[in-house]
Amino acid sequence: MAKRVLITGASGLLGRAIYREFLKDNSWETLGLAFSRVKENLKKVDITDENQVKEVISTFKPSVIIHSAAERRPDVVENNPTGTQQLNIQATEHICQAAKSIGAWVLYISTDYVFDGTSPPYNEDAKPNPLNKYGQSKLEGEKITLGASSENSVLRVPILYGDIEYLSESAVTILFENILAGKESIASDYEIKYPTHCADIAYTIRQLADKRLQIPEKVCGVFHWTSNEKMTKYLMSVAMASAFSLDTKNIIPDKNPSKGAPRPYDTHLSCEKMEAIVSGRRTLFSDGIKLVLEPYVKK
């Protein structure tokens, strides 16, 4: 089978990392899709348009489709149910049906927010119970993906950071804005997160895709990948400031649950299924975040 991969959302935070990871491997022919931020060699496709999806998939004929495009901001999802339905659910249906017609394997990127955070760690077979509309929409996408073909897979990931185009692009790096400006920063010290570098997710995905083509019977169903560093947004903020020897006295811990869409308390993901198949990679937060933020710190 030809090693041909199609990546949706290839202009986004995670999608860019996945796209670059596959481009580094000459054994893969790689096509990245984007819509609002098309650049480099990405192809402009509106994945909410079924005809456009059918056309690009039937023309390129990928053996692997990594579906990373999504509305991932919980508060935006709460306030825009129609847009979320189109991007997180309907687009997933279009992709899975088109993939099925050519026998392509779909890896759908999901979230730890499908869990309620009351009984971690969560293994791949744990029963989802999302607390907010974002988690609900991603769970619906999971069901569509796995329902379209028993061969398809889901990868749940936690809060992400990585090479950014602007500080507010990631829910992690946005915390650095006030710190860098020397302003007071109130950061949640309640919900527990496991910040994971997008490049680590991308590396692990490429390993999984290679394994899928080698031994397809072992690569189906639900997978997890996450760092194992337990942090709150307050602890992330302190770590970011400390990485550049910036004052931490203006970082104020908020011990109350976050406002806005309900957030689960602790959704630590067990990665045993993935670890049994690939080696994966985990970057220490202190190392990864410093490299990500260095371009934004004046020397």
Side-chain angles (χ1 to χ4, degrees), residues 173-241:
T173 54
I174 193 174
L175 301 169
F176 196 58
E177 287 185 332
N178 284 342
I179 297 169
L180 195 56
K183 298 178 181 177
E184 182 178 271
S185 175
I186 300 173
S188 172
D189 198 27
Y190 180 76
E191 293 95 359
I192 295 167
K193 312 284 186 181
Y194 299 84
T196 302
H197 203 302
C198 289
D200 292 347
I201 299 287
Y203 176 79
T204 307
I205 285 174
R206 184 173 61 80
Q207 285 192 318
L208 191 67
D210 277 322
K211 195 67 70 172
R212 167 69 196 186
L213 297 188
Q214 294 163 10
I215 42 172
E217 67 277 6
K218 283 198 172 184
V219 184
C220 55
V222 179
F223 293 89
H224 294 165
W225 195 254
T226 179
S227 79
N228 289 319
E229 291 181 89
K230 190 175 182 178
M231 308 180 83
T232 62
K233 286 188 173 181
Y234 168 71
L235 292 175
M236 289 182 224
S237 299
V238 170
M240 285 186 270

Side-chain angles (χ1 to χ4, degrees), residues 35-49:
F35 185 65
S36 61
R37 289 191 281 175
V38 180
K39 54 186 156 185
E40 297 174 358
N41 295 315
L42 302 182
K43 184 177 179 62
K44 186 170 184 176
V45 173
D46 179 359
I47 61 170
T48 67
D49 183 320

